Every structure is written in C-alpha cells, then in structure tokens.
C-alpha cells in the first residue's frame, strides 16, 4: 500500500498604509494528517492445508506524509512594520501488519509471514516552515514546524491470548518446508524551521526572528512467534526484525539591520525506537531439519541543530536551544526449546547515533 499526503501553503502578503507608513503581514499554515493501515491476515482458528506448497502471508507498506508553510513578507519600500508567520504541522501514522491468528492450524509445506517496506523505498515524514520579514522600523518573523510520527510494523505467528478459554496459539506443521517470519521498516523524519528578519531602513528599530522545530517519532518493528504457538517439522527457520530510522531537526533564525535584534531558537527531537525478534515460550519443542537463525538488526540516526545569526547596532540577543532524546531498544530473544540439525543463531545488532 502506498499513501502520499501533503499540505503546502504559500502565504500572500497583505499591506495597510497608515499616516506613518505601511504594515505588511504574510501568514501561512499547513496541516497534514496521513494515516495508512495495511493488514494481511489468516484469521483466528482457520485451517490452511497444502500438500505441495507453502503458505505466504505478506503485507507491504510505503507511506509519505508532509506539511509545508511559507509565510515570507517582502518590503515594498513603504513598509514600517513587517510580519511574517508560518506554521507547519504534520502527523503521520503508519501501521503494517502480517499475521497468522491464534488457534490457526497451518498444514503446508513451509510458511512465510512478511511485513516490510515496498522494495527500495523508505517512508518519509516532513514538516517545513519558513517565514521572513523586512521593514523600515519593526520586523517580526516566526516559524513553527512540528512532525509527529508513529510507525508500527509487525509480522507475527500469534500466541495464546489471555481472554479466551483455550491455552494454545497458532499451530504450524511445515512438512519439511522453510519458515520465515520477517518484519522490516525504514523511515525518515525531517523538520525544518526558519525565520529571517532584515531591517530595510537606517532607522530600523527592532528585528525579531523566532523559530521552533519539534520532531517526535515512535517506531516499532516486531517479528515474533507468540507464546504458546507451535512450530514443528520445518527445514530452515528465519525470524528477523530490521529497522533503519533517520530523524533530522534543523532550526535556523536571523535578525539584522535594526538597532535591537533578537533571535530565539529551539530545536527538539524525541525518538523512541524498538526492534524485536522473539520466539516466545511454548510447551512444544521447535523441530527443524535445517538451521534456526534470528536477527534483530537496528540502525538509527538522530540529529538536532539550532543555528542563529543576530546583528544589531545597539543590542543583539541570540538564544539557541538544541535538544535530542533518543531511546533505542534492540532485542533478539528465544524462550522455547529448539532442535535444529544444522545449528541455532540468535543475533542482536544495533548502530545508534545521536547528536545535538
């Protein structure tokens, strides 16, 4: 499933002439909400049989969502007061699930459960706000860009739930075939917020360029065979969760050409990333004529930048705050007995880079 949503706003400039000069205002607001849900499922209690072929349950997802706003006011030469404002708010919620439900009875020559990105694609989430002001006396520009993203990717052979009377999850007899449970998600989350004020007259008194960028993401990737599910008579069994998440927050601001110039900036990035490959508890031993291999492979990069430039002939004040909070949890877990002729591998890999 591909979903691409966006809202791009370019502000017109309005002017009002007064006895002492003109007032020019430009304002833009871009708001976008993108919600994409993709599910492939074999339902609870179903029986799937095939003597010569495998069962494949596959879900593929690609979601892009963006909001952009440009509130740039331009001095026509007669402007005493110039105001530029821009707000961009982007909310992206993407859910990608492939599942074989609890109590299902799978009697096929192999099994694949796969929830992944579209081939060669990443899901991109963007919020951009730009504002500018130029005036002979007072210029004020303010920008706010916010990106709120929740990505959930799950490939699961369901275990036993706590709200039913039986005590068994999905049951798989692979009849000598390969088994693969895989979940993968690759994303980028980008926030850009900029404000620029320029005094256009020697008598310019005040210039304020304020900019805020907020980037929040919760990314979850899970490949699992749940508690009390059963897997027997397989050949090779792969249980893999793969994640690659990049978050960038870039906030800029400037004020110049006035007696008093002020540039307050704030850039905040909060990312919570979880990648899990889990073979849950079971009273039944997993039996394989080949190899068991499980890998949780996680890569993340989180970068926050706040850059201000302030120049005032009498007073110049610049305050920049850059804050990054990145929490990455990577787990590869086996909680049941395995009898595999060609060995067992359990791997957890993590590369996490954060900066502010």
């Amino acid at each position: 499933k591909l979903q691409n949503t966006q809202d791009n706003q370019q502000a017109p400039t309005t002017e009002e002439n007064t006895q002492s000069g003109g007032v020019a205002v430009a304002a833009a607001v871009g708001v976008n909400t993108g919600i994409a849900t993709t599910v492939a499922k074999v339902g609870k209690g179903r029986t799937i049989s095939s003597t010569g072929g495998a069962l494949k349950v596959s879900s593929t997802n690609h979601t892009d969502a963006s909001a952009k706003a440009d509130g740039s006011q331009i001095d026509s030469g007669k402007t005493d007061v110039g105001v530029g404002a821009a707000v961009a708010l982007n909310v992206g919620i993407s859910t990608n699930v492939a599942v074989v439900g609890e109590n299902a009875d799978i009697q096929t020559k192999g099994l694949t459960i796969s929830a992944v990105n579209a081939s060669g694609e990443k899901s991109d989430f963007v919020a951009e706000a730009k504002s500018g002001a130029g005036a002979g006396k007072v210029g004020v520009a303010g920008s706010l860009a916010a990106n709120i993203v929740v990505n959930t990717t799950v490939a699961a052979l369901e275990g036993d739930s706590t709200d039913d009377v039986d005590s068994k999850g999905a049951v798989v007899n692979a009849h000598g075939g390969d088994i693969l449970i895989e979940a993968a998600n690759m994303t980028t989350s980008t926030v850009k917020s900029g404000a620029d004020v320029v005094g256009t007259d020697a008598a310019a008194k005040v210039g304020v360029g304020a900019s805020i960028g907020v980037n929040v993401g919760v990314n979850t990737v899970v490949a699992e065979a749940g508690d009390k599910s059963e897997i027997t008579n397989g050949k090779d069994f792969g249980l893999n969760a793969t994640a690659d998440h990049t978050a960038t927050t870039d906030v800029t601001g400037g004020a110049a050409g006035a007696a008093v110039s002020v540039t307050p900036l704030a850039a905040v990035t909060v990312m919570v990333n979880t990648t899990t490959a889990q073979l849950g508890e079971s009273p039944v031993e997993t039996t394989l004529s080949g190899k068991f291999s499980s890998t949780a492979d996680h890569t993340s990069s989180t970068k926050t930048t706040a850059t201000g430039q302030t120049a005032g002939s009498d007073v110049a004040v610049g305050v920049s705050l850059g804050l990054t909070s990145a929490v990455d949890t990577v787990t590869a877990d086996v909680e049941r007995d395995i009898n595999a002729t060609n060995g067992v591998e359990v791997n957890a890999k993590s590369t996490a880079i954060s900066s502010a």
Side-chain angles (χ1 to χ4, degrees), residues 31-320:
V31 178
N32 180 64
T33 301
I35 300 174
T37 302
T38 311
V39 178
K41 184 175 184 179
V42 172
K44 177 179 178 180
R46 300 298 94 193
T47 297
I48 307 294
S49 301
S50 175
T51 58
L55 169 63
K56 183 174 183 179
V57 182
S58 177
S59 177
T60 303
N61 174 278
H62 175 208
T63 302
D64 291 343
S66 66
K68 299 180 180 181
D70 186 348
S72 296
Q73 172 266 326
I74 300 174
D75 185 8
S76 63
K78 299 179 181 180
T79 304
D80 284 347
V81 178
V83 178
V87 176
L89 174 60
N90 183 57
V91 177
I93 300 174
S94 178
T95 303
N96 187 25
V97 175
V99 62
V100 173
E102 67 170 306
N103 298 324
D105 184 9
I106 309 303
Q107 302 287 334
T108 58
K109 193 173 179 59
L111 169 67
T112 295
I113 305 173
S114 176
V116 298
N117 285 88
S119 178
E121 297 289 348
K122 290 186 176 184
S123 293
D124 301 315
F125 303 90
V126 179
E128 294 185 4
K130 176 184 176 183
S131 65
K137 293 183 179 180
V138 177
V140 178
S143 295
L144 169 62
N147 202 27
I148 312 297
V149 177
V150 179
N151 287 296
T152 304
T153 302
V154 177
L157 182 70
E158 281 192 340
D160 180 52
S161 67
T162 58
D163 59 358
D164 58 13
V165 296
D166 63 47
S167 60
K168 184 180 290 187
V171 176
V172 177
N173 183 335
H175 293 277
D178 291 333
I179 302 163
L180 175 63
I181 302 175
E182 63 172 356
N185 191 27
M186 289 73 178
T187 69
T188 66
S189 298
T190 304
V191 168
K192 294 182 179 180
S193 182
D196 189 33
V197 176
V198 178
T200 59
D201 190 282
K205 295 180 179 180
V206 179
V208 179
S211 187
I212 298 173
V214 178
N215 200 358
V216 177
V218 178
N219 300 300
T220 304
V221 179
V222 177
E224 72 170 348
D227 291 346
K228 297 184 180 179
S229 64
E230 299 177 10
I231 302 170
T232 58
N233 198 21
K235 187 182 178 183
D236 292 328
F237 182 4
L239 179 64
N240 304 312
T242 305
D244 187 341
H245 305 299
T246 300
T248 305
T249 306
D250 185 15
V251 175
T252 60
V260 178
S261 296
V262 181
T263 308
L265 307 177
V268 178
T269 308
V270 178
M271 289 289 147
V272 179
N273 301 315
T274 304
T275 303
T276 304
Q278 181 168 357
L279 184 61
E281 298 177 357
S282 177
V284 177
E285 180 182 69
T286 292
T287 55
L288 306 170
S289 62
K291 179 179 180 180
F292 175 82
S293 177
S294 177
T295 300
D297 191 350
H298 177 88
T299 302
S300 70
S301 174
T302 307
K303 183 177 181 180
T304 306
T305 306
T307 306
Q309 295 182 344
T310 308
S313 58
D314 292 338
V315 178
V317 179
V319 179
S320 298

Side-chain angles (χ1 to χ4, degrees), residues 239 277-281 286 292-294 331-338 344-347:
L239 179 64
Q278 181 168 357
L279 184 61
E281 298 177 357
T286 292
F292 175 82
S293 177
S294 177
T331 305
D333 186 21
V334 172
E335 295 292 340
R336 71 177 66 179
D337 294 339
I338 300 174
V344 174
E345 291 186 3
V346 181
N347 305 294

